[in-house]
Amino acid sequence: MKRKPKHARPARSVEVRRTILIRREPRLAGKVTAAAVRRAVLRALEHQSFREDCSISLVLAGEETVARLNARYRGVPQATDVLAFPSRVVDPQTAVRHLGDVLICLPRAAAQASARGKTLEDEVLLLAVHGTLHLLGHDHHTARKKKRMWDAQKQILKEPA
């Protein structure tokens, strides 16, 4: 008597919970949609095969805020285009890990977009991806690491929204 072969059960797809909190300083107006920024951050997480429950906060800030934080945490008393503050805090109630905070200096992004012939949204999406990659451990302190990070950014930004 032959036994029926045991068929492997299909793997159950477990939905990953990702919370991307996007905040804009009230006095800043811009042509950047929160939905586009959220999609760019999610694409970066997927591209890097990060499949854990997580949260990220992203703030579109003014020069004063970014300069103050840059001086406080990096010792550089001026604004920069993007700051990333990685975190590994896990919410004890939800077990969701907060990957960190990304601050994008909207006036700097606007100036860079203009200089590069890009839209403000294009530049903000680049900076959102850049900051997310920093939260995931990328840096650009060496030529090799910079190439790896810049290549990842290009690939992520090419992916359909």
Side-chain angles (χ1 to χ4, degrees):
M1 180 170 159
K2 283 189 171 181
R3 295 183 104 186
K4 288 185 179 180
K6 291 186 179 180
H7 295 286
R9 290 184 182 173
R12 285 181 22 189
S13 175
V14 178
E15 189 171 328
V16 178
R17 294 179 297 169
R18 295 184 174 143
T19 303
I20 314 299
L21 174 65
I22 300 169
R23 192 172 69 84
R24 183 186 326 242
E25 286 187 0
R27 62 186 172 73
L28 296 175
K31 297 177 181 176
V32 180
T33 66
V37 174
R38 183 173 285 108
R39 285 190 304 270
V41 170
L42 292 172
R43 282 196 320 266
L45 293 171
E46 283 298 320
H47 181 271
Q48 295 296 295
S49 300
F50 188 85
R51 293 195 172 78
E52 298 175 30
D53 294 347
C54 66
S55 67
I56 293 175
S57 67
L58 191 139
V59 178
L60 300 174
E63 287 198 41
E64 303 81 23
T65 300
V66 176
R68 183 172 33 83
L69 292 170
N70 203 21
R72 181 174 180 183
Y73 293 103
R74 295 183 61 234
V76 181
Q78 62 189 18
T80 187
D81 56 358
V82 63
L83 290 171
F85 298 98
S87 170
R88 296 295 183 246
V89 173
V90 176
D91 184 317
Q93 293 179 332
T94 64
V96 173
R97 181 166 70 162
H98 182 64
L99 290 181
D101 309 311
V102 175
L103 279 88
I104 295 173
C105 182
L106 208 49
R108 284 282 173 112
Q112 289 174 182
S114 177
R116 295 179 190 176
K118 301 284 186 179
T119 67
L120 175 59
E121 186 167 276
D122 287 341
E123 189 68 17
V124 168
L125 297 181
L126 169 64
L127 295 173
V129 166
H130 185 88
T132 302
L133 290 174
H134 275 305
L135 297 183
L136 294 173
H138 283 264
D139 69 52
H140 40 86
H141 298 303
T142 67
R144 192 171 127 225
K145 288 181 177 183
K146 181 177 180 176
K147 180 180 178 350
R148 184 174 165 237
M149 189 172 182
W150 264 237
D151 287 348
Q153 288 173 176
K154 286 178 192 170
Q155 289 174 5
I156 293 163
L157 293 167
K158 278 187 205 174
E159 293 174 11

